[in-house]
Amino acid sequence: MSDHPLLTLNQVSKSFGPVNVIRKVSVNVHAGAVQVLLGENGAGKSTLIKMMAGVYQPDGGEILIDGKAVSLPNTRAAEEHGIATIHQELNLVNSMSVAENVMLGRTPKKFGMVDRKALRRQARAALDLIGLDVDVETPVGELGIARQQLVEIAKALSINARILILDEPTAALTRHETESLFKVVADLRRKGVGMLFISHHLDEIAEIGDSVTVLRDGEFVAEVPASTSEDELVRLMVGRSIDDQFPRRSAESEGPAEILAVEHLTSKGKFEDISFTLRAGEVLGISGLVGAGRTELIRAIAGADRYDSGSVKVRGKALPKGSVQAAIRAGLGHVPEDRKGQGLVLDASVNENLGYATLASSARLGLADFSGQRSRAEAVANTLRIRMHSIDQPVGSLSGGNQQKAVFGRWIIAASTVLLLDEPTRGVDVGAKVEIYELMNAITEAGGAIVMVSSELPEVLGMSDRILVLRDGRLAGEFSSADATQDKVMTLAARDVNEEH
Amino acid sequence: MSAATLQAKRRSFDVKKFLANNGALVGLVVLCIALFIATPDFLTGRNLLNIGIQVSTVAVLAFGMTFVIVAGGIDLSVGSVAALSAMVSGWFFVSAGLPGWLALLGGLAAGLLAGVINGLASAYGKLPSFIATLAMLSIARGLTLVISDGRPIKTSPEVSFLGGNLGPVPMPIVILLIAALVASFLLNRTVVGRSMYAVGGNAEAARLSGLPVKRIIVIVFGLAGLFAALAGLLLAGRLDSAQPQAATGYELDAIAAVVIGGASLAGGLGRISGTFVGALVLVVIRNGLNLLNVTSFWQQVVIGVVIALAVGIDVLRRKTRSS
Ligand SMILES: Nc1ncnc2c1ncn2[C@@H]1O[C@H](COP(=O)(O)OP(=O)(O)OP(=O)(O)O)[C@@H](O)[C@H]1O
Ligand SMILES: [Mg+2]
């Protein structure tokens, strides 16, 4: 074995038009080690790894593999060097089956035809690695975001790469799936695979990382051991310290005015007989494993999907089934789990995306209110600190976390009083998370209320006043924030699953 | 990065970007210069008016098509609907004896109705718009033949006025400019217009943001039908008669104009000004080839190549933009 790192980015730079996104950054990936990239939303992490994956080419600096300078003009070239990448945004073909997606580009053939048996077998093996238990014939589009993420991971793992790049693979996962992923990572590390890992979950860094490269504003800040304290990491990353990661201020004082009532809500095959109420000023967390029906429940309440029976009442008035518009009129706002597929029009500007929910209500005589919209959008982009070079740039060119803030911002502009949040901070950095939490506080203090589905248990525990646990589409139990602990919630959420296995 | 450096950089003119965004316009200018050099007949008042009249039909159809393509659909029926609308108008005037202006409005209403049916079939009937409008292409042409019994029908004086002159300026050119302003206003300024971009860009995100996606689709196709009817009336007005085979195949010209003008068939992108330029490119090429005595057979080949080029440029543009 040589003493060269497997992969080196040496003083690379990258700009998009007039915007310098990466300036003279160096990173090494060593065999049998996990290099962590850390930085705020928009710091340039994804841009950096896209240069390793052959998606972008650096404007300056060089890429070395085994100490030799190489050029990676396209993704194929990167793959030929043994680099596999799990990108932050999913790249799956929704209409194709799980198996076909996992084996995409490497479909096993027999006599020039697809060898379906081998296809299924190889895909199954890849999925078993990370413990994804779905039928490999299912079209990927029918899976939720977390399972799609697992398919994406399986796809990258099955390539047998020497270098594996993971851009926020855990953002959509619950602790349960994250643990299976980390087992695989530990295994690969023993086999000498070099890995580069990005995550906004700081606790994961010490758990699987070896060394951390910190970026700020596209520049190299420091390289520190992964055992560095979280506080120190935060300080390096945002340039200041954050005192309270979950600054929940309870706002339930003025009487228990009931704002949302869900009664016996049932959607066959998704969830059954769900009842709960939400009081003004309350944050209700919904916890559960992937596939427990959390997203389906939120979507039904928001009017995104129809349901079979039961009712949803807002301030005593029943909402019609499956009408997003009626839900919005009643004051509901829905942040869906999949920002790329369901939240944003990627080609449209940040400004337009922030304004869709209020496009009609702010219009006069059918004419869009451009100047009003622009000032509202600018104000919200400011509050949420959406990092962009212009409010007119396509929202698809923002970094992942900033895109997430844009979805959130739409409902701030709409002044929604009941927010239905599905993974509201997926991919959002620690600093910006606190800003989103503060917005949640502001909404509840103004008499609004929030239902929050999140796979991040610390977030659910830290921000909710009350926690519902879903298991297999049914309510498994309820905790007050005082009683809840990670262990209690996980045990309840996973009970059946553990018994089955 | 400091705001100052950003601004300084933005001020410097980006030639590559200008070309990528205005390729059709540059192409048009080059084309006109080439024709000006190649033939003395090109830059004459008569020929330019001629181009103006010819572009009016194609462009008005293409404006309607722009709505549809921006919203992520396609409308194959606009040529047939144009013919049907003119025929209905003629029938109202000649056979039903309605006043001329009412016959004109009747023609527009027929186009609107056909478009709304397209929209309903595609939004609520869940038919792909390609299929729904393919059916309408056949139905509308068939109805045109049924109404006319295969013979031309005289148009009302009001419709003929649309094809006539206003002083020295041909009416079709006036109508064209008004239609362009109206279409551009609809697309850029109104709630419905802005919603079209959202629906074409990501219909699911539009729906979850509370936009009435289905209603917007119906309006989009209704507008395409209305603009098609106007184009049909312009065409009939010029000939003083509604022809049963009028505007056959014009849907392809309209689609080509929109695509040359920079819209993406994937939806979510497109501008009326671009479509206008696209229609001009098509018509000027045809006109030039005529002046140079190229047969209509070869003209078709050339037009095909131009469309392929335009789409190729579109693909390239998307690639450079996404990276
Ligand atoms: N194609 C592009 N065009 C213009 N700007 C871009 C493009 N891609 C990225 N950027 C900008 O580059 C910056 C860095 O983005 P990048 O996606 O690398 O951030 P990130 O560190 O991965 O953030 P996150 O944690 O949110 O995923 C952002 O400000 C983003 O807006
Ligand atoms: Mg990123």
Side-chain angles (χ1 to χ4, degrees), chain A residues 18 20 56 299 304 324-325 328 340-345 347 352 356-357 359 363 366-368 370 389 410-411, chain B residues 1 9-10 185 188-191 194-195 197-198 201-202 204-205 207-212 215 318 321-323:
Chain A
N20 292 326
Y56 297 151
R299 284 177 60 91
V324 177
Q325 283 148 279
I328 292 175
K340 187 178 172 190
Q342 302 161 351
L344 297 167
V345 180
D347 280 336
E352 298 237 350
Y356 286 136
L359 185 59
L367 300 186
F370 282 110
H389 62 265
R410 177 182 298 154
W411 303 113
Chain B
M1 151 163 351
K9 285 207 172 161
R10 206 176 301 156
F185 178 81
N188 292 324
R189 297 274 144 195
T190 67
V191 169
R194 299 321 297 167
S195 307
Y197 287 95
N202 184 346
E204 180 66 0
R207 185 176 77 93
L208 293 184
S209 308
L211 297 181
R215 204 185 314 152
R318 308 201 111 234
R321 216 174 44 136
S322 67
S323 73

Side-chain angles (χ1 to χ4, degrees), chain A residues 87-287:
Chain A
H87 285 288
Q88 181 173 16
E89 304 300 335
L90 300 169
N91 292 300
L92 298 169
V93 186
N94 280 342
S95 56
M96 286 169 48
S97 73
V98 169
E100 285 166 319
N101 268 289
V102 169
M103 302 303 295
L104 199 64
R106 299 167 294 129
T107 318
K109 297 211 177 75
K110 211 161 140 187
F111 312 122
M113 309 227 287
V114 176
D115 181 354
R116 299 212 70 87
K117 232 170 156 180
L119 177 73
R120 270 196 300 272
R121 182 163 34 78
Q122 293 177 18
R124 186 70 263 161
L127 295 173
D128 283 343
L129 271 180
I130 40 151
L132 177 57
D133 187 20
V134 296
D135 182 0
V136 294
E137 297 292 333
T138 322
V140 151
E142 286 176 15
L143 302 180
I145 197 90
R147 285 181 165 149
Q148 290 187 7
Q149 177 72 68
L150 290 169
V151 171
E152 191 83 80
I153 292 172
K155 183 171 143 190
L157 292 180
S158 67
I159 292 177
N160 289 326
R162 291 198 307 145
I163 300 165
L164 180 62
I165 301 170
L166 307 105
D167 193 353
E168 300 197 29
T170 58
L173 304 183
T174 66
R175 193 59 219 168
H176 197 72
E177 293 93 28
T178 300
E179 272 164 18
S180 344
L181 173 65
F182 285 180
K183 276 193 204 116
V184 180
V185 167
D187 198 39
L188 291 175
R189 179 199 272 134
R190 272 193 298 277
K191 289 182 184 153
V193 174
M195 283 168 282
L196 193 127
F197 177 78
I198 301 177
S199 173
H200 288 294
H201 301 159
L202 298 181
D203 50 338
E204 295 171 359
I205 291 174
E207 194 174 345
I208 67 155
D210 293 297
S211 173
V212 185
T213 299
V214 185
L215 295 182
R216 197 191 303 156
D217 275 341
E219 288 181 14
F220 174 89
V221 174
E223 180 161 1
V224 293
S227 54
T228 310
S229 76
E230 285 186 24
D231 287 344
E232 176 63 10
L233 290 175
V234 168
R235 208 189 49 71
L236 286 170
M237 175 174 155
V238 302
R240 64 194 154 91
S241 45
I242 290 175
D243 305 330
D244 190 357
Q245 275 200 39
F246 301 106
R248 174 75 189 135
R249 289 191 300 279
S250 210
E252 294 176 86
S253 48
E254 297 119 45
E258 185 180 291
I259 201 163
L260 175 75
V262 172
E263 283 158 14
H264 307 295
L265 209 63
T266 299
S267 182
K268 291 205 182 74
K270 294 178 176 169
F271 52 84
E272 213 151 314
D273 196 26
I274 307 282
S275 302
F276 66 85
T277 60
L278 183 68
R279 291 185 299 277
E282 192 178 30
V283 175
L284 177 67
I286 299 188
S287 206

